[in-house]
Amino acid sequence: MNWKRWSFLILCVIAVGGWSNVPLRAQISQGPPAMGIPESQSLVGDTTALAREAQDWLVDLVKINTTNPPGNEQAAAKYIAGILTKEGITPEILDVTPGRSAVVARLRSSVVADPSRALLLVAHMDVVGVDRSKWTVDPFGGVIKDGYLYGRGSIDDKSMVAANLAAFVALKRGNVHLNRDVIFLATADEEQFGDASLKILIAKYWDKLAAGFAINEGGKVVLKNGKVQYTAVQVGEKVSVNISVTATGKGGHASVPTKQNPVVHLAAAVEKIGDYTAPVHLTSIVRRYFEGLSAIEDDETGKWMRVLDTPDRGEHAQRVLSDMSPMWNSMMRDTIAPTMLQAGVRANVIPSEARAVLNVRLLPGDTIDVLVNELNKLVNDPTVKLEVLPDGGLAAPNSSMDTEFYALITKLCAKEFGGAPVLPFMSTGATDSAQLRLHNVQAYGLRPIPMTEEDDARIHGDDERLPLASFAKGVDLLTRIVAEFSVTR
Ligand SMILES: [Zn+2]
């Protein structure tokens, strides 16, 4: 540690010493070494003041309505650019479509960048819409109540925009020597994955974003009975594909019905598909996830998790666990959810066509053609046609669980949360990380903000809210993970 860093730490201690009522401490220097990574002294000081600032940024970001569509992320991008500029960092606003922009900034480790070493901190600025009548507060008011920040995006994903920004700014303020470039990126259009999304951004501006490693959303720290139960680090995700189901028949007057009514054929097909259960495929990530979880679940649940893969009791265990949790069910197999139905224009007219849409979530490694074949056999109706729609996601390789970065995340999360297990996780939902993984980025889904399942479930729902004490903890942990990975001592 050089004198500059010492003086930075001393200044930090003086700056926050007066009101450090949140019990945050840099804990890197405590405890035994783990995961083969040598123990080190803290590279960042007390983050209490930083977390307060990040909270203010987050409140401001929630007040900027970036409901997608239309998104309007440019306003949020400009706000973030203003913060970066104040810190002496030069941001770049990347325009994607009118009114929709991303913002990127880089802290350099050397004159010539080595993208394969660079660390990308990425989060999205857009949010999903709200049903205002169901909210108890203004979803864009930045309301703080009972220790929570309420608002659309307070968790997904503006909390991570603000936390990433804090970690990034901390490196700059610390005047540290980086051993890799660190890139901050706030993206647009994650929720719709349309023409302003990361996919387009990568196509247009890859040289500005290229990295070997990334932290993105997709993971979670699960809080139960006031204690962290486990940390899930997302290393892979399911693939979303839509299928249209079209029944073609004979239209005519509803007073003279025939057997060729497409509404009836479609309804029968959708019922069969709805009852279908795809076979279980346990991927390596899911195996490790259940293995780790079995140690902390109740005895009964843990027992089933441990025999999940055995020839004699595996099948029964898969059924029990699928019934216990729809998410576990979805982690073990391809799922199909009929989501849209469309037929008819008048109550007294039989239409000549009826249509449904199925949203399929494939396990990585499974192919849609195999599933469509299976469904065709099941429906067994020549008037019904299944067609894969062109807007499907692409299967990306999983991120490695053997990188130095994954080991570091595991070590610091375990230590922070009293030894609670850190498990690899395959999310059932899609994130921008698939795009990154397709470009050889080892992207890890990490939201280091401890939250109950109940609060987590408010994402995309009513009264989304972020526990602020947990947010401060998340800022601290994220800052230390980023510093430990990218700062030369
Ligand atoms: Zn999100």
Side-chain angles (χ1 to χ4, degrees):
M1 183 176 282
N2 62 27
W3 67 270
K4 263 184 183 166
R5 216 166 294 137
W6 271 115
S7 54
F8 170 67
L9 286 179
I10 292 163
L11 279 174
C12 281
V13 169
I14 294 168
V16 302
W19 48 284
S20 54
N21 56 336
V22 182
L24 284 178
R25 286 176 298 134
Q27 295 173 355
I28 294 178
S29 59
Q30 296 168 10
M35 309 296 293
I37 293 171
E39 209 47 39
S40 65
Q41 286 182 297
S42 176
L43 294 163
V44 284
D46 188 313
T47 57
T48 313
L50 181 67
R52 291 286 181 103
E53 279 179 90
Q55 180 182 314
D56 292 342
W57 300 335
L58 174 55
V59 169
D60 289 344
L61 283 167
V62 166
K63 287 180 183 169
I64 301 171
N65 186 340
T66 50
T67 299
N68 181 9
N72 190 33
E73 297 92 339
Q74 199 170 71
K78 280 183 180 160
Y79 172 80
I80 293 165
I83 292 166
L84 290 166
T85 305
K86 245 188 255 163
E87 296 292 331
I89 303 167
T90 310
E92 207 176 339
I93 291 188
L94 308 176
D95 294 325
V96 198
T97 59
R100 309 194 74 172
S101 314
V103 55
V104 67
R106 178 182 296 262
L107 294 173
R108 289 186 183 282
S109 58
S110 58
V111 181
V112 183
D114 177 357
S116 71
R117 287 185 54 78
L119 170 63
L120 178 71
L121 306 175
V122 58
H124 64 88
M125 296 178 286
D126 60 315
V127 298
V128 294
V130 294
D131 177 355
R132 275 182 190 267
S133 68
K134 301 268 171 53
W135 281 66
T136 60
V137 297
D138 177 358
F140 302 101
V143 177
I144 293 177
K145 208 173 71 170
D146 310 324
Y148 287 93
L149 168 64
Y150 282 75
R152 175 58 84 227
S154 59
I155 303 174
D156 180 17
D157 189 26
K158 287 175 172 171
S159 65
M160 286 309 296
V161 173
N164 284 348
L165 193 56
F168 191 70
V169 161
L171 295 179
K172 171 72 177 170
R173 289 181 186 172
N175 196 22
V176 294
H177 287 288
L178 294 174
N179 57 44
R180 61 185 80 244
D181 282 13
V182 179
I183 305 162
F184 170 90
L185 174 66
T187 61
D189 203 14
E190 191 275 339
E191 299 291 0
Q192 297 264 316
F193 199 59
D195 58 4
S197 71
L198 181 60
K199 186 180 176 179
I200 308 303
L201 207 62
I202 286 174
K204 274 178 102 168
Y205 301 108
W206 180 236
D207 58 319
K208 297 179 194 298
L209 325 172
F213 303 90
I215 289 182
N216 188 16
E217 64 177 340
K220 55 186 174 175
V221 178
V222 180
L223 197 61
K224 200 175 178 181
N225 304 323
K227 265 186 70 182
V228 169
Q229 195 192 20
Y230 70 98
T231 299
V233 180
Q234 189 237 43
V235 291
E237 59 186 55
K238 291 186 88 177
V239 183
S240 176
V241 183
N242 293 317
I243 294 177
S244 80
V245 186
T246 311
T248 314
K250 196 161 162 283
H253 202 288
S255 68
V256 196
T258 68
K259 296 281 183 205
Q260 290 118 326
N261 184 340
V263 176
V264 178
H265 285 259
L266 182 74
V270 169
E271 192 191 359
K272 285 180 193 164
I273 292 167
D275 285 340
Y276 174 73
T277 309
V280 166
H281 292 166
L282 294 173
T283 66
S284 57
I285 302 171
V286 171
R287 275 203 182 91
R288 275 179 67 165
Y289 171 79
F290 280 121
E291 220 174 84
L293 206 56
S294 71
I296 47 171
E297 282 289 340
D298 61 78
D299 291 350
E300 178 73 7
T301 311
K303 184 189 78 188
W304 290 119
M305 286 177 175
R306 277 188 292 275
V307 299
L308 201 49
D309 213 5
T310 58
D312 51 338
R313 291 199 289 167
E315 212 170 298
H316 187 67
Q318 290 158 13
R319 210 162 27 241
V320 172
L321 293 173
S322 294
D323 288 346
M324 265 183 200
S325 155
M327 191 186 78
W328 290 344
N329 175 58
S330 180
M331 288 173 77
M332 290 192 278
R333 52 168 53 97
D334 301 337
T335 59
I336 308 157
T339 48
M340 292 163 85
L341 283 171
Q342 207 175 31
V345 288
R346 293 278 184 281
N348 60 358
V349 176
I350 296 171
S352 58
E353 196 180 275
R355 189 168 176 264
V357 174
L358 315 173
N359 183 247
V360 173
R361 299 294 170 132
L362 290 175
L363 291 171
D366 286 359
T367 50
I368 190 70
D369 294 348
V370 172
L371 186 69
V372 169
N373 251 338
E374 216 37 57
L375 296 181
N376 268 323
K377 271 192 259 168
L378 185 75
V379 170
N380 190 25
D381 182 339
T383 71
V384 175
K385 227 178 90 190
L386 272 68
E387 203 179 351
V388 178
L389 294 172
D391 56 357
L394 287 171
N398 296 324
S399 295
S400 169
M401 293 177 252
D402 296 321
T403 61
E404 183 198 339
F405 192 34
Y406 185 76
L408 174 70
I409 291 170
T410 304
K411 183 188 86 163
L412 293 188
C413 288
K415 178 177 270 183
E416 176 70 34
F417 301 123
V422 182
L423 310 176
F425 183 61
M426 180 193 64
S427 64
T428 54
T431 70
D432 272 344
S433 288
Q435 287 303 313
L436 296 170
R437 292 181 182 122
L438 284 167
H439 288 78
N440 298 318
V441 183
Q442 301 295 327
Y444 298 105
L446 176 72
R447 196 198 317 117
I449 303 169
M451 251 184 290
T452 61
E453 298 274 22
E454 194 266 325
D455 281 334
D456 208 296
R458 294 174 183 233
I459 291 175
H460 290 208
D462 309 320
D463 277 348
E464 180 179 347
R465 63 178 194 179
L466 178 79
L468 288 171
S470 290
F471 176 68
K473 218 170 192 18
V475 167
D476 180 64
L477 180 55
L478 184 73
T479 303
R480 285 188 287 119
I481 288 171
V482 170
E484 188 87 351
F485 188 52
S486 56
V487 174
T488 303
R489 273 181 278 277

PDB file of all heavy atoms in Angstrom, residues 15 73 83-84 108 155-156 162 179 208 216 225 230 287 291 350 376 378 417 435 442 465 467 470:
ATOM      1  N   ALA A  15     -13.770  11.427   7.279  1.00  0.00           N
ATOM      2  CA  ALA A  15     -14.991  11.933   6.643  1.00  0.00           C
ATOM      3  C   ALA A  15     -16.252  11.272   7.193  1.00  0.00           C
ATOM      4  O   ALA A  15     -17.280  11.908   7.340  1.00  0.00           O
ATOM      5  CB  ALA A  15     -14.911  11.720   5.133  1.00  0.00           C
ATOM      6  N   GLU A  73     -34.425   6.321 -22.027  1.00  0.00           N
ATOM      7  CA  GLU A  73     -33.248   6.134 -21.178  1.00  0.00           C
ATOM      8  C   GLU A  73     -32.228   7.250 -21.318  1.00  0.00           C
ATOM      9  O   GLU A  73     -31.330   7.372 -20.486  1.00  0.00           O
ATOM     10  CB  GLU A  73     -32.570   4.794 -21.488  1.00  0.00           C
ATOM     11  CG  GLU A  73     -33.405   3.553 -21.212  1.00  0.00           C
ATOM     12  CD  GLU A  73     -34.199   3.095 -22.417  1.00  0.00           C
ATOM     13  OE1 GLU A  73     -34.436   3.914 -23.334  1.00  0.00           O
ATOM     14  OE2 GLU A  73     -34.588   1.909 -22.461  1.00  0.00           O
ATOM     15  N   ILE A  83     -22.839  12.795 -13.194  1.00  0.00           N
ATOM     16  CA  ILE A  83     -22.138  12.331 -11.983  1.00  0.00           C
ATOM     17  C   ILE A  83     -20.696  11.960 -12.327  1.00  0.00           C
ATOM     18  O   ILE A  83     -19.757  12.343 -11.624  1.00  0.00           O
ATOM     19  CB  ILE A  83     -22.870  11.118 -11.371  1.00  0.00           C
ATOM     20  CG1 ILE A  83     -24.217  11.554 -10.810  1.00  0.00           C
ATOM     21  CG2 ILE A  83     -22.025  10.452 -10.281  1.00  0.00           C
ATOM     22  CD1 ILE A  83     -25.144  10.410 -10.485  1.00  0.00           C
ATOM     23  N   LEU A  84     -20.534  11.225 -13.408  1.00  0.00           N
ATOM     24  CA  LEU A  84     -19.189  10.796 -13.812  1.00  0.00           C
ATOM     25  C   LEU A  84     -18.300  12.014 -14.099  1.00  0.00           C
ATOM     26  O   LEU A  84     -17.141  12.073 -13.676  1.00  0.00           O
ATOM     27  CB  LEU A  84     -19.282   9.888 -15.045  1.00  0.00           C
ATOM     28  CG  LEU A  84     -19.884   8.499 -14.786  1.00  0.00           C
ATOM     29  CD1 LEU A  84     -20.261   7.809 -16.093  1.00  0.00           C
ATOM     30  CD2 LEU A  84     -18.911   7.618 -13.992  1.00  0.00           C
ATOM     31  N   ARG A 108      -8.744   3.374 -17.042  1.00  0.00           N
ATOM     32  CA  ARG A 108      -7.704   2.629 -17.768  1.00  0.00           C
ATOM     33  C   ARG A 108      -6.620   2.103 -16.839  1.00  0.00           C
ATOM     34  O   ARG A 108      -6.230   2.756 -15.886  1.00  0.00           O
ATOM     35  CB  ARG A 108      -7.052   3.537 -18.811  1.00  0.00           C
ATOM     36  CG  ARG A 108      -7.949   3.853 -19.968  1.00  0.00           C
ATOM     37  CD  ARG A 108      -7.223   4.638 -21.056  1.00  0.00           C
ATOM     38  NE  ARG A 108      -8.168   4.961 -22.113  1.00  0.00           N
ATOM     39  CZ  ARG A 108      -8.580   4.092 -23.039  1.00  0.00           C
ATOM     40  NH1 ARG A 108      -8.071   2.871 -23.056  1.00  0.00           N
ATOM     41  NH2 ARG A 108      -9.452   4.456 -23.947  1.00  0.00           N
ATOM     42  N   ILE A 155     -35.283  -1.900  -7.357  1.00  0.00           N
ATOM     43  CA  ILE A 155     -34.432  -3.091  -7.379  1.00  0.00           C
ATOM     44  C   ILE A 155     -33.937  -3.323  -8.806  1.00  0.00           C
ATOM     45  O   ILE A 155     -32.742  -3.349  -9.068  1.00  0.00           O
ATOM     46  CB  ILE A 155     -35.205  -4.348  -6.900  1.00  0.00           C
ATOM     47  CG1 ILE A 155     -35.793  -4.148  -5.499  1.00  0.00           C
ATOM     48  CG2 ILE A 155     -34.268  -5.559  -6.895  1.00  0.00           C
ATOM     49  CD1 ILE A 155     -36.691  -5.300  -5.051  1.00  0.00           C
ATOM     50  N   ASP A 156     -34.876  -3.530  -9.702  1.00  0.00           N
ATOM     51  CA  ASP A 156     -34.587  -3.970 -11.080  1.00  0.00           C
ATOM     52  C   ASP A 156     -34.617  -2.819 -12.048  1.00  0.00           C
ATOM     53  O   ASP A 156     -35.682  -2.419 -12.474  1.00  0.00           O
ATOM     54  CB  ASP A 156     -35.610  -5.055 -11.461  1.00  0.00           C
ATOM     55  CG  ASP A 156     -35.405  -5.587 -12.864  1.00  0.00           C
ATOM     56  OD1 ASP A 156     -34.329  -5.383 -13.430  1.00  0.00           O
ATOM     57  OD2 ASP A 156     -36.347  -6.206 -13.395  1.00  0.00           O
ATOM     58  N   ALA A 162     -26.809   2.133  -9.671  1.00  0.00           N
ATOM     59  CA  ALA A 162     -26.236   3.009  -8.643  1.00  0.00           C
ATOM     60  C   ALA A 162     -25.073   2.329  -7.913  1.00  0.00           C
ATOM     61  O   ALA A 162     -24.052   2.962  -7.619  1.00  0.00           O
ATOM     62  CB  ALA A 162     -27.318   3.420  -7.649  1.00  0.00           C
ATOM     63  N   ASN A 179      -5.014  -3.105 -12.456  1.00  0.00           N
ATOM     64  CA  ASN A 179      -4.310  -4.109 -13.258  1.00  0.00           C
ATOM     65  C   ASN A 179      -5.151  -4.578 -14.442  1.00  0.00           C
ATOM     66  O   ASN A 179      -4.770  -5.481 -15.172  1.00  0.00           O
ATOM     67  CB  ASN A 179      -3.875  -5.292 -12.389  1.00  0.00           C
ATOM     68  CG  ASN A 179      -5.061  -5.913 -11.681  1.00  0.00           C
ATOM     69  OD1 ASN A 179      -6.116  -6.108 -12.278  1.00  0.00           O
ATOM     70  ND2 ASN A 179      -4.905  -6.206 -10.396  1.00  0.00           N
ATOM     71  N   LYS A 208     -15.914  -0.321 -27.512  1.00  0.00           N
ATOM     72  CA  LYS A 208     -16.015   0.488 -26.286  1.00  0.00           C
ATOM     73  C   LYS A 208     -16.432  -0.349 -25.069  1.00  0.00           C
ATOM     74  O   LYS A 208     -16.324   0.085 -23.935  1.00  0.00           O
ATOM     75  CB  LYS A 208     -17.036   1.608 -26.470  1.00  0.00           C
ATOM     76  CG  LYS A 208     -16.656   2.604 -27.556  1.00  0.00           C
ATOM     77  CD  LYS A 208     -17.729   3.661 -27.685  1.00  0.00           C
ATOM     78  CE  LYS A 208     -17.574   4.481 -28.966  1.00  0.00           C
ATOM     79  NZ  LYS A 208     -16.318   5.248 -29.045  1.00  0.00           N
ATOM     80  N   ASN A 216     -23.303  -8.477 -13.791  1.00  0.00           N
ATOM     81  CA  ASN A 216     -24.608  -8.027 -14.267  1.00  0.00           C
ATOM     82  C   ASN A 216     -25.657  -8.486 -13.252  1.00  0.00           C
ATOM     83  O   ASN A 216     -25.339  -9.157 -12.272  1.00  0.00           O
ATOM     84  CB  ASN A 216     -24.876  -8.633 -15.654  1.00  0.00           C
ATOM     85  CG  ASN A 216     -26.117  -8.075 -16.330  1.00  0.00           C
ATOM     86  OD1 ASN A 216     -26.640  -7.025 -15.937  1.00  0.00           O
ATOM     87  ND2 ASN A 216     -26.596  -8.771 -17.353  1.00  0.00           N
ATOM     88  N   ASN A 225     -35.550 -15.177   7.620  1.00  0.00           N
ATOM     89  CA  ASN A 225     -35.571 -14.994   9.078  1.00  0.00           C
ATOM     90  C   ASN A 225     -34.418 -14.113   9.552  1.00  0.00           C
ATOM     91  O   ASN A 225     -33.744 -14.420  10.537  1.00  0.00           O
ATOM     92  CB  ASN A 225     -35.514 -16.346   9.794  1.00  0.00           C
ATOM     93  CG  ASN A 225     -36.648 -17.266   9.358  1.00  0.00           C
ATOM     94  OD1 ASN A 225     -37.766 -16.801   9.118  1.00  0.00           O
ATOM     95  ND2 ASN A 225     -36.360 -18.556   9.221  1.00  0.00           N
ATOM     96  N   TYR A 230     -28.417 -17.998   1.476  1.00  0.00           N
ATOM     97  CA  TYR A 230     -27.383 -18.297   0.483  1.00  0.00           C
ATOM     98  C   TYR A 230     -27.281 -17.183  -0.546  1.00  0.00           C
ATOM     99  O   TYR A 230     -28.178 -16.344  -0.651  1.00  0.00           O
ATOM    100  CB  TYR A 230     -27.652 -19.633  -0.224  1.00  0.00           C
ATOM    101  CG  TYR A 230     -28.840 -19.665  -1.165  1.00  0.00           C
ATOM    102  CD1 TYR A 230     -28.666 -19.503  -2.531  1.00  0.00           C
ATOM    103  CD2 TYR A 230     -30.136 -19.863  -0.688  1.00  0.00           C
ATOM    104  CE1 TYR A 230     -29.755 -19.537  -3.397  1.00  0.00           C
ATOM    105  CE2 TYR A 230     -31.229 -19.897  -1.551  1.00  0.00           C
ATOM    106  CZ  TYR A 230     -31.030 -19.732  -2.899  1.00  0.00           C
ATOM    107  OH  TYR A 230     -32.102 -19.764  -3.758  1.00  0.00           O
ATOM    108  N   ARG A 287     -27.268 -29.111 -10.973  1.00  0.00           N
ATOM    109  CA  ARG A 287     -26.801 -30.140 -10.024  1.00  0.00           C
ATOM    110  C   ARG A 287     -26.076 -29.503  -8.863  1.00  0.00           C
ATOM    111  O   ARG A 287     -26.342 -29.798  -7.697  1.00  0.00           O
ATOM    112  CB  ARG A 287     -25.821 -31.091 -10.738  1.00  0.00           C
ATOM    113  CG  ARG A 287     -26.492 -32.197 -11.472  1.00  0.00           C
ATOM    114  CD  ARG A 287     -25.522 -33.373 -11.667  1.00  0.00           C
ATOM    115  NE  ARG A 287     -26.211 -34.402 -12.418  1.00  0.00           N
ATOM    116  CZ  ARG A 287     -26.188 -34.492 -13.746  1.00  0.00           C
ATOM    117  NH1 ARG A 287     -25.472 -33.640 -14.456  1.00  0.00           N
ATOM    118  NH2 ARG A 287     -26.855 -35.436 -14.360  1.00  0.00           N
ATOM    119  N   GLU A 291     -27.166 -29.373  -4.910  1.00  0.00           N
ATOM    120  CA  GLU A 291     -26.203 -29.964  -3.982  1.00  0.00           C
ATOM    121  C   GLU A 291     -25.934 -28.995  -2.823  1.00  0.00           C
ATOM    122  O   GLU A 291     -25.986 -29.361  -1.649  1.00  0.00           O
ATOM    123  CB  GLU A 291     -24.900 -30.181  -4.749  1.00  0.00           C
ATOM    124  CG  GLU A 291     -24.137 -31.449  -4.473  1.00  0.00           C
ATOM    125  CD  GLU A 291     -22.971 -31.511  -5.453  1.00  0.00           C
ATOM    126  OE1 GLU A 291     -21.915 -30.900  -5.177  1.00  0.00           O
ATOM    127  OE2 GLU A 291     -23.162 -32.131  -6.526  1.00  0.00           O
ATOM    128  N   ILE A 350     -68.299 -17.617 -36.650  1.00  0.00           N
ATOM    129  CA  ILE A 350     -67.215 -18.576 -36.424  1.00  0.00           C
ATOM    130  C   ILE A 350     -66.032 -18.133 -37.283  1.00  0.00           C
ATOM    131  O   ILE A 350     -66.194 -17.966 -38.500  1.00  0.00           O
ATOM    132  CB  ILE A 350     -67.650 -20.005 -36.816  1.00  0.00           C
ATOM    133  CG1 ILE A 350     -68.802 -20.478 -35.912  1.00  0.00           C
ATOM    134  CG2 ILE A 350     -66.471 -20.978 -36.713  1.00  0.00           C
ATOM    135  CD1 ILE A 350     -69.436 -21.786 -36.369  1.00  0.00           C
ATOM    136  N   ASN A 376     -46.050 -31.590 -31.612  1.00  0.00           N
ATOM    137  CA  ASN A 376     -46.836 -31.976 -32.792  1.00  0.00           C
ATOM    138  C   ASN A 376     -47.462 -33.354 -32.617  1.00  0.00           C
ATOM    139  O   ASN A 376     -48.634 -33.573 -32.935  1.00  0.00           O
ATOM    140  CB  ASN A 376     -45.960 -31.956 -34.043  1.00  0.00           C
ATOM    141  CG  ASN A 376     -46.026 -30.603 -34.736  1.00  0.00           C
ATOM    142  OD1 ASN A 376     -47.077 -29.969 -34.768  1.00  0.00           O
ATOM    143  ND2 ASN A 376     -44.901 -30.150 -35.267  1.00  0.00           N
ATOM    144  N   LEU A 378     -48.129 -34.766 -29.830  1.00  0.00           N
ATOM    145  CA  LEU A 378     -49.102 -34.662 -28.750  1.00  0.00           C
ATOM    146  C   LEU A 378     -50.422 -34.057 -29.251  1.00  0.00           C
ATOM    147  O   LEU A 378     -51.506 -34.557 -28.961  1.00  0.00           O
ATOM    148  CB  LEU A 378     -48.486 -33.765 -27.666  1.00  0.00           C
ATOM    149  CG  LEU A 378     -49.226 -33.567 -26.373  1.00  0.00           C
ATOM    150  CD1 LEU A 378     -49.088 -34.823 -25.527  1.00  0.00           C
ATOM    151  CD2 LEU A 378     -48.631 -32.380 -25.609  1.00  0.00           C
ATOM    152  N   PHE A 417     -21.296 -12.894   4.422  1.00  0.00           N
ATOM    153  CA  PHE A 417     -22.575 -13.370   4.934  1.00  0.00           C
ATOM    154  C   PHE A 417     -22.403 -14.585   5.850  1.00  0.00           C
ATOM    155  O   PHE A 417     -23.140 -15.568   5.771  1.00  0.00           O
ATOM    156  CB  PHE A 417     -23.530 -13.662   3.769  1.00  0.00           C
ATOM    157  CG  PHE A 417     -23.780 -12.444   2.916  1.00  0.00           C
ATOM    158  CD1 PHE A 417     -23.507 -12.461   1.552  1.00  0.00           C
ATOM    159  CD2 PHE A 417     -24.258 -11.268   3.480  1.00  0.00           C
ATOM    160  CE1 PHE A 417     -23.726 -11.327   0.766  1.00  0.00           C
ATOM    161  CE2 PHE A 417     -24.475 -10.126   2.704  1.00  0.00           C
ATOM    162  CZ  PHE A 417     -24.203 -10.165   1.343  1.00  0.00           C
ATOM    163  N   GLN A 435     -26.055 -12.176 -24.171  1.00  0.00           N
ATOM    164  CA  GLN A 435     -25.365 -11.446 -25.246  1.00  0.00           C
ATOM    165  C   GLN A 435     -23.871 -11.353 -24.977  1.00  0.00           C
ATOM    166  O   GLN A 435     -23.059 -11.492 -25.877  1.00  0.00           O
ATOM    167  CB  GLN A 435     -25.943 -10.025 -25.365  1.00  0.00           C
ATOM    168  CG  GLN A 435     -27.321  -9.977 -25.968  1.00  0.00           C
ATOM    169  CD  GLN A 435     -27.364 -10.620 -27.351  1.00  0.00           C
ATOM    170  OE1 GLN A 435     -26.520 -10.350 -28.199  1.00  0.00           O
ATOM    171  NE2 GLN A 435     -28.330 -11.488 -27.576  1.00  0.00           N
ATOM    172  N   GLN A 442     -16.957 -13.674 -19.535  1.00  0.00           N
ATOM    173  CA  GLN A 442     -17.353 -14.452 -18.360  1.00  0.00           C
ATOM    174  C   GLN A 442     -18.229 -13.535 -17.503  1.00  0.00           C
ATOM    175  O   GLN A 442     -17.738 -12.762 -16.686  1.00  0.00           O
ATOM    176  CB  GLN A 442     -16.116 -14.905 -17.563  1.00  0.00           C
ATOM    177  CG  GLN A 442     -15.148 -15.762 -18.347  1.00  0.00           C
ATOM    178  CD  GLN A 442     -15.764 -17.097 -18.753  1.00  0.00           C
ATOM    179  OE1 GLN A 442     -16.585 -17.659 -18.031  1.00  0.00           O
ATOM    180  NE2 GLN A 442     -15.379 -17.609 -19.915  1.00  0.00           N
ATOM    181  N   ARG A 465     -39.797  -2.481  -3.916  1.00  0.00           N
ATOM    182  CA  ARG A 465     -39.111  -1.699  -2.885  1.00  0.00           C
ATOM    183  C   ARG A 465     -37.768  -2.320  -2.529  1.00  0.00           C
ATOM    184  O   ARG A 465     -37.597  -3.536  -2.533  1.00  0.00           O
ATOM    185  CB  ARG A 465     -39.984  -1.591  -1.633  1.00  0.00           C
ATOM    186  CG  ARG A 465     -40.262  -2.927  -0.999  1.00  0.00           C
ATOM    187  CD  ARG A 465     -41.092  -2.798   0.257  1.00  0.00           C
ATOM    188  NE  ARG A 465     -41.057  -4.048   1.017  1.00  0.00           N
ATOM    189  CZ  ARG A 465     -41.670  -4.242   2.161  1.00  0.00           C
ATOM    190  NH1 ARG A 465     -42.367  -3.268   2.711  1.00  0.00           N
ATOM    191  NH2 ARG A 465     -41.561  -5.396   2.787  1.00  0.00           N
ATOM    192  N   PRO A 467     -34.755  -2.617   0.350  1.00  0.00           N
ATOM    193  CA  PRO A 467     -34.351  -2.362   1.739  1.00  0.00           C
ATOM    194  C   PRO A 467     -33.023  -1.590   1.757  1.00  0.00           C
ATOM    195  O   PRO A 467     -32.017  -2.080   1.254  1.00  0.00           O
ATOM    196  CB  PRO A 467     -34.192  -3.765   2.332  1.00  0.00           C
ATOM    197  CG  PRO A 467     -34.056  -4.695   1.176  1.00  0.00           C
ATOM    198  CD  PRO A 467     -34.618  -4.026  -0.039  1.00  0.00           C
ATOM    199  N   SER A 470     -29.766  -2.988   3.343  1.00  0.00           N
ATOM    200  CA  SER A 470     -29.192  -4.021   2.487  1.00  0.00           C
ATOM    201  C   SER A 470     -28.475  -3.404   1.295  1.00  0.00           C
ATOM    202  O   SER A 470     -27.444  -3.904   0.840  1.00  0.00           O
ATOM    203  CB  SER A 470     -30.282  -4.952   1.955  1.00  0.00           C
ATOM    204  OG  SER A 470     -30.790  -5.753   2.995  1.00  0.00           O
TER     205      SER A 470
END
